[in-house]
């Protein structure tokens, strides 16, 4: 990272950014090109890196790409504040972001599927107890990103 003064390293600070952001941009590989989607997400911090969870339909391009090559890249960002300057070239933006890489897979285990969906709901509602309609639960694919590298960055004026 070029601007070490903006690097976020502490687990609690990284988790705070992940919690505050509301959309995860997930990039998958489509041959030689990236395929980028914006997704709702949840996360569990189980080791040195978080595990991200997403939900989607049981068919579609994301699932096809994951089956071919599970490599993925993500970014979340939050705390955007436009900072005006005295000259046009002095404007900027305050922000906080977390990005990383990892392996994306479809979760088959029912208990982990529930834990992943719980993490999504907890992220957006702040609640901890959830029950899901079995029919809808069975129609929903749960994706897991096992993060292997992580970077955080924050710019404040």
């Amino acid at each position: 990272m070029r601007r070490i003064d903006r690097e976020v390293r502490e687990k609690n600070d990284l988790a705070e950014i992940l919690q505050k952001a509301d959309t995860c941009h997930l990039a998958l590989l489509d041959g030689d090109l990236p395929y980028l989607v914006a997704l709702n997400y949840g996360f569990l911090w189980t080791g040195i890196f978080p595990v991200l969870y997403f939900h989607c339909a049981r068919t579609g391009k994301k699932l096809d790409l994951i089956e071919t090559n599970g490599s993925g890249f993500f970014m979340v960002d939050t705390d955007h504040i436009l900072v005006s300057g005295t000259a046009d070239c002095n404007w900027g933006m305050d922000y906080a972001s977390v990005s990383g890489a990892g392996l994306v897979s479809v979760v088959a285990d029912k208990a982990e599927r529930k834990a992943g969906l719980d993490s999504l709901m907890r992220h957006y509602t702040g609640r901890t107890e959830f029950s899901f309609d079995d029919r809808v639960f069975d129609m929903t694919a749960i994706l897991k990103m096992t993060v292997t590298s992580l970077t955080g960055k924050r710019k404040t004026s």
Side-chain angles (χ1 to χ4, degrees):
M1 178 175 299
R2 184 179 66 83
R3 293 291 307 261
I4 296 298
D5 59 313
R6 295 181 182 170
E7 186 174 16
V8 177
R9 293 183 180 185
E10 295 298 320
K11 177 180 172 179
N12 289 342
D13 295 332
L14 294 163
E16 177 190 348
I17 295 167
L18 283 167
Q19 185 59 45
K20 285 179 81 175
D22 63 5
T23 304
C24 182
H25 299 88
L26 177 67
L28 301 168
L29 298 174
D30 185 6
D32 293 338
L33 298 173
Y35 176 76
L36 182 68
V37 291
L39 297 168
N40 296 118
Y41 70 100
F43 68 97
L44 297 172
W45 210 297
T46 58
I48 190 167
F49 297 122
V51 174
L52 304 180
Y53 288 96
F54 312 97
H55 66 92
C56 63
R58 287 223 175 244
T59 60
K61 186 167 185 169
K62 282 189 302 294
L63 296 177
D64 294 342
L65 295 176
I66 290 166
E67 185 177 321
T68 302
N69 181 344
S71 294
F73 308 87
F74 80 93
M75 188 190 82
V76 302
D77 57 318
T78 188
D79 298 341
H80 305 105
I81 299 172
L82 182 63
V83 179
S84 61
T86 54
D88 291 339
C89 61
N90 291 345
W91 286 58
M93 181 72 71
D94 287 353
Y95 63 91
S97 66
V98 173
S99 59
L103 298 174
V104 183
S105 60
V106 177
V107 179
D109 178 76
K110 188 171 183 173
E112 186 177 8
R113 287 170 39 80
K114 169 93 167 64
L117 203 49
D118 284 350
S119 77
L120 272 128
M121 293 298 295
R122 187 172 41 257
H123 180 215
Y124 293 100
T125 69
R127 294 181 14 230
T128 58
E129 297 294 324
F130 306 98
S131 62
F132 304 106
D133 178 282
D134 287 338
R135 185 183 64 78
V136 176
F137 184 76
D138 291 341
M139 293 176 8
T140 304
I142 305 299
L143 307 178
K144 171 184 181 176
M145 180 177 214
T146 304
V147 177
T148 57
S149 68
L150 191 69
T151 301
K153 193 171 181 181
R154 178 177 279 131
K155 179 182 178 289
T156 56
S157 298

